[in-house]
Amino acid sequence: SPRETPSSRGIVGQLLAAAMRGDAATVKAILPLVRERLAGKPVLYVPLSRGGRADRIVRARCRERLLERLATVLPRLGLVEETIEIVRLAKSLESRRPAGGASVSEFDRVFEAATTALVERIVESAVADGAATSEATSRILDGLSQLVPRLLETWLTHARQLRLSVLERLRDDKAFAATREFVERYGTGLFTQHMLAPMALRGILRGGMRNYLERLVERLESEPDGGTGRDRWPARLATDLASGAMPLKQAASRLRVVLESIAENHAEYRDWNSTTSQSDRGEHLHILLDHLRLKAEYDRIAWTLRPVDMAHRVLARRGASEAAVAWRNRMREETRDTAGTLVARLDALEKQWGVRLASVADRVRRPFTVALEQDELEALVPAAVSEVVSGTPVGAAMALEQKARGFLGVASGSGVEVPEWLDHLTAAVDTAIERADVTAVFAGESPGEPVPDTFTEAVPWRTLEWDHLRTALGG
């Protein structure tokens, strides 16, 4: 039975204190009160830039942080089903949407915290009784096969409610055909390098499409074009707007899609602008948009697979290398056909237009397991930094260097930008160095056990036998 009876006040503090003591019974007793306290409360908020109120933002984000913290610590106490319920609660709370502009969701943070902690729980229980490596690997894969489908159900619900890219509005061929027609008809003199430069693009988007188009019509009325300037400014669009042949509302909608797409993918636009001859003509911009919507479809699938990536990241960082390899191979097999279909569509697109955009091709052609291979590289960083700081474990830095050499041929886009894998590796090294510095300070500059630097790490792992965990994962 719980060692303390929760009162109606301070229940969150009581719950977190019980968690730090490893008192799972008290935490389990208080959780229903916390869920009841959160029921019906908003967790979405409108940002300040869109007219949101600071007090509402603070309250909503505090609730999200509480849910994130609970999702992180409950698996350590063996409360698996309760963790999954927290994830569902976090998603259900988003049904209450604030009035006004587009709201911000931070459900991703809660979901990632829960997935990471639950996979760590699986690894902990799989090896707790000294099971052989092969047996532990089998347990881990079995546990993930039960856990991930349960989490995916909530994740897919979340994914369907989000628009990851403006290009998703053009996923339907009919919608894209209308945009392509607009670009081909009015692109000359409209989609110029000057207009699509970052500063000019931001200025037009902030000012609004209607305002921009109305100024075009005013210019046409004040400077009638006898034909000599039609290649230098969008006289045809201005003429059709003035005559009513092109409705202002329709033109504004299609222009906004094009400009937002370029703003969202400006690195790809730079690639298009610097490596293709078609980029000299604004009426050919639809070719770039066609490539970008294929990239957006790839990114949508990759984002849907994030729970699988999260699980693999934990396996790599916890040293469950055999399980990580098996999990990666399973994902590669299950996504092979989908990846092959996207590559075939890209091949057809490149052949149709005689264009190859490295920034798009490099992304679409790589397997969906590329992020998992990056996890394996980053998992070597803490040990390598530890060797630099304390001299142990010997050989860790060399292992990182050898693994990184396998990524040296992986470029990004036209090769101008720093490769994405190198950016991630740099961030991982910076984090590990910062952690090592903190540990050294608390340890009096002498190497020793890592000092817990988060509330989560201060919560002890409670022993949970594998059979009990398997039952909990089965729901």
Side-chain angles (χ1 to χ4, degrees):
S1 61
R3 294 185 300 179
E4 62 185 75
T5 302
S7 64
S8 60
R9 299 183 63 184
I11 57 173
V12 173
Q14 293 177 42
L15 186 149
L16 298 179
M20 291 190 70
R21 296 196 304 269
D23 187 352
T26 296
V27 171
K28 190 172 183 177
I30 298 177
L31 266 177
L33 297 177
V34 174
R35 288 198 295 264
E36 182 181 348
R37 182 79 60 93
L38 288 170
K41 299 293 179 62
V43 293
L44 300 177
Y45 61 89
V46 179
L48 292 174
S49 60
R50 293 180 178 270
R53 285 175 44 179
D55 58 333
R56 292 178 179 175
I57 294 174
V58 170
R59 286 197 293 269
R61 297 193 71 180
C62 283
R63 293 180 191 116
E64 287 281 17
R65 293 299 173 271
L66 173 59
L67 291 166
E68 181 184 354
R69 180 153 289 182
L70 291 176
T72 303
V73 302
L74 292 180
R76 288 175 169 257
L77 303 173
L79 302 177
V80 174
E81 187 61 40
E82 289 79 1
T83 306
I84 295 175
E85 286 301 318
I86 287 293
V87 174
R88 291 172 179 163
L89 172 63
K91 188 61 200 168
S92 68
L93 291 177
E94 293 193 346
S95 61
R96 182 177 176 182
R97 295 189 170 274
S103 55
V104 175
S105 167
E106 295 190 4
F107 174 76
D108 296 26
R109 295 174 61 110
V110 179
F111 186 90
E112 183 166 1
T115 302
T116 300
L118 286 167
V119 176
E120 288 183 333
R121 173 77 270 176
I122 290 173
V123 175
E124 283 285 330
S125 294
V127 301
D129 59 359
T133 301
S134 58
E135 175 66 17
T137 298
S138 177
R139 288 178 175 180
I140 291 171
L141 296 176
D142 180 36
L144 293 179
S145 297
Q146 291 182 287
L147 171 66
V148 172
R150 295 185 68 185
L151 293 174
L152 269 176
E153 181 180 350
T154 305
W155 182 252
L156 291 176
T157 300
H158 178 61
R160 285 191 292 268
Q161 296 172 349
L162 296 180
R163 190 187 76 184
L164 301 180
S165 168
V166 67
L167 270 304
E168 292 184 337
R169 294 169 59 183
L170 303 180
R171 184 173 181 178
D172 179 71
D173 288 340
K174 185 177 180 180
F176 179 69
T179 302
R180 174 179 173 178
E181 181 184 5
F182 177 83
V183 171
E184 289 181 325
R185 182 173 178 82
Y186 301 116
T188 300
L190 177 62
F191 299 121
T192 63
Q193 293 185 18
H194 173 74
M195 180 195 195
L196 300 179
M199 290 185 63
L201 196 58
R202 285 195 296 269
I204 296 172
L205 289 171
R206 288 175 181 171
M209 299 303 104
R210 188 179 186 91
N211 178 55
Y212 175 78
L213 294 174
E214 287 175 345
R215 285 192 286 110
L216 284 184
V217 175
E218 291 173 2
R219 178 179 176 183
L220 179 68
E221 294 171 349
S222 61
E223 303 176 20
D225 189 350
T228 57
R230 289 183 181 272
D231 289 335
R232 295 193 297 272
W233 73 286
R236 185 175 188 179
L237 176 58
T239 301
D240 284 359
L241 287 170
S243 67
M246 167 57 68
L248 180 63
K249 184 177 181 180
Q250 185 181 99
S253 175
R254 292 178 182 169
L255 180 61
R256 181 181 296 108
V257 169
V258 174
L259 297 189
E260 288 181 350
S261 298
I262 300 302
E264 185 181 272
N265 299 275
H266 215 270
E268 288 76 12
Y269 170 71
R270 289 199 306 270
D271 189 11
W272 159 263
N273 208 27
S274 60
T275 63
T276 69
S277 58
Q278 290 92 332
S279 64
D280 295 334
R281 303 179 66 89
E283 66 269 26
H284 289 161
L285 191 65
H286 65 87
I287 300 174
L288 170 61
L289 297 178
D290 210 0
H291 281 76
L292 291 178
R293 69 186 190 126
L294 183 60
K295 171 181 169 287
E297 187 173 345
Y298 175 95
D299 290 342
R300 161 66 69 172
I301 296 171
W303 196 80
T304 303
L305 292 169
R306 278 189 63 191
V308 180
D309 296 347
M310 295 173 194
H312 181 271
R313 188 177 305 119
V314 174
L315 299 182
R317 293 178 180 177
R318 294 295 297 262
S321 55
E322 289 188 11
V325 171
W327 187 247
R328 188 163 65 247
N329 290 340
R330 182 180 299 182
M331 180 180 174
R332 183 181 293 110
E333 288 300 318
E334 292 180 355
T335 60
R336 188 186 303 277
D337 291 345
T338 301
T341 299
L342 291 176
V343 170
R345 287 171 55 191
L346 178 63
D347 289 340
L349 201 58
E350 292 177 342
K351 184 177 181 181
Q352 178 183 359
W353 298 112
V355 168
R356 185 185 185 279
L357 297 174
S359 53
V360 175
D362 290 348
R363 190 168 189 85
V364 175
R365 293 185 189 282
R366 62 188 183 187
F368 289 108
T369 54
V370 68
L372 280 59
E373 295 165 1
Q374 176 74 27
D375 293 338
E376 200 173 20
L377 174 64
E378 292 178 24
L380 300 174
V381 170
V385 171
S386 176
E387 182 184 14
V388 173
V389 173
S390 65
T392 58
V394 177
M398 181 60 70
L400 174 63
E401 182 179 346
Q402 290 176 346
K403 186 70 177 178
R405 285 174 182 167
F407 286 79
L408 292 179
V410 180
S412 292
S414 57
V416 177
E417 296 83 14
V418 176
E420 187 177 355
W421 70 267
L422 189 55
D423 270 338
H424 286 299
L425 181 62
T426 301
V429 171
D430 289 343
T431 300
I433 290 174
E434 182 180 349
R435 180 73 181 275
D437 289 343
V438 171
T439 300
V441 169
F442 280 93
E445 301 299 334
S446 60
E449 289 296 317
V451 177
D453 62 353
T454 66
F455 168 80
T456 301
E457 293 177 356
V459 176
W461 284 99
R462 179 172 174 266
T463 301
L464 182 63
E465 294 182 1
W466 176 253
D467 290 341
H468 293 163
L469 174 60
R470 198 172 185 280
T471 300
L473 290 172

